[in-house]
Amino acid sequence: MAIYPIRTFGDPVLRAAAAAVTDDVATLERLITDMLETMYEAPGVGLAAPQIGISKRIFVADAGEGPFAMINPEIVETSGSWTFEEGCLSVPGRYWPIKRPAYAKARGFDIEGNPIEYEGEELMGRVLQHEIDHLNGMLLLERLSRRTKREALRELREEALGIAGRS
Ligand SMILES: [Zn+2]
């Protein structure tokens, strides 16, 4: 087992659309074990492979109902609307109220290639949408209003340059 360093804002792997997963069961088992360990250690409720530098369509999550993993997942249904203070392990320490559908259903595969489905309201629905965004190269910043996003990007760039708090 291994805990991976989590890639943060500015790392190009977070902006890339991840590739479909074609690995064998043993490789996937190992990867999922490591991803869950990394997620719990962080701690977080979800982790997508690009966040540890692996540009493949796989994520792990635990929204309070136990750990699970999805391979090559897609959102197939959403409904309602819910605003939630959303954060991301790749943008540490920041939270923004983000409005998304309250309910989401995702379809994908388990490590043996069997079709699986996860769905839920509120936190579960949110995690499914957030993690699948990661696989499409999208950070939660893309879900902010234009103005909030501009401010957030300025703060994050200043922080990255180490000039925050000096002006
Ligand atoms: Zn995230």
Side-chain angles (χ1 to χ4, degrees):
M1 296 201 288
I3 290 174
Y4 283 80
I6 294 175
R7 306 298 182 92
T8 53
F9 173 77
D11 190 316
V13 72
L14 297 172
R15 298 186 69 103
V21 172
T22 56
D23 300 283
D24 59 61
V25 172
T27 305
L28 290 173
E29 251 170 10
R30 210 160 40 233
L31 177 60
I32 288 167
T33 302
D34 289 347
M35 285 176 68
L36 281 169
E37 206 187 352
T38 302
M39 179 189 84
Y40 285 126
E41 172 73 17
V45 295
L47 183 76
Q51 293 182 276
I52 56 166
I54 297 172
S55 196
K56 291 181 183 174
R57 303 189 73 83
I58 178 166
F59 77 82
V60 297
D62 184 346
E65 294 160 35
F68 66 97
M70 291 190 90
I71 292 163
N72 299 331
E74 278 180 283
I75 297 288
V76 294
E77 200 183 318
T78 59
S79 64
S81 162
W82 185 45
T83 301
F84 176 69
E85 287 282 318
E86 192 171 325
C88 177
L89 294 176
S90 294
V91 193
R94 307 280 177 136
Y95 296 86
W96 293 275
I98 296 176
K99 188 160 125 184
R100 296 186 192 246
Y103 166 86
K105 182 197 277 185
R107 239 175 238 154
F109 300 89
D110 68 11
I111 56 169
E112 280 160 347
N114 304 305
I116 50 170
E117 238 178 49
Y118 284 94
E119 61 173 348
E121 304 263 349
E122 301 202 334
L123 188 59
M124 181 63 165
R126 181 66 53 136
V127 168
L128 294 171
Q129 295 173 73
H130 180 112
E131 300 312 324
I132 291 170
D133 271 0
H134 273 303
L135 305 182
N136 295 325
M138 193 183 281
L139 285 176
L140 78 172
L141 298 160
E142 306 300 326
R143 300 290 182 186
L144 301 174
S145 72
R146 245 169 74 182
R147 188 179 160 172
T148 311
K149 182 183 164 188
R150 201 165 53 226
E151 284 166 12
L153 288 176
R154 185 172 48 73
E155 284 173 22
L156 289 167
R157 287 194 186 113
E158 281 176 6
E159 203 175 84
L161 292 170
I163 60 176
R166 276 196 218 160
S167 53

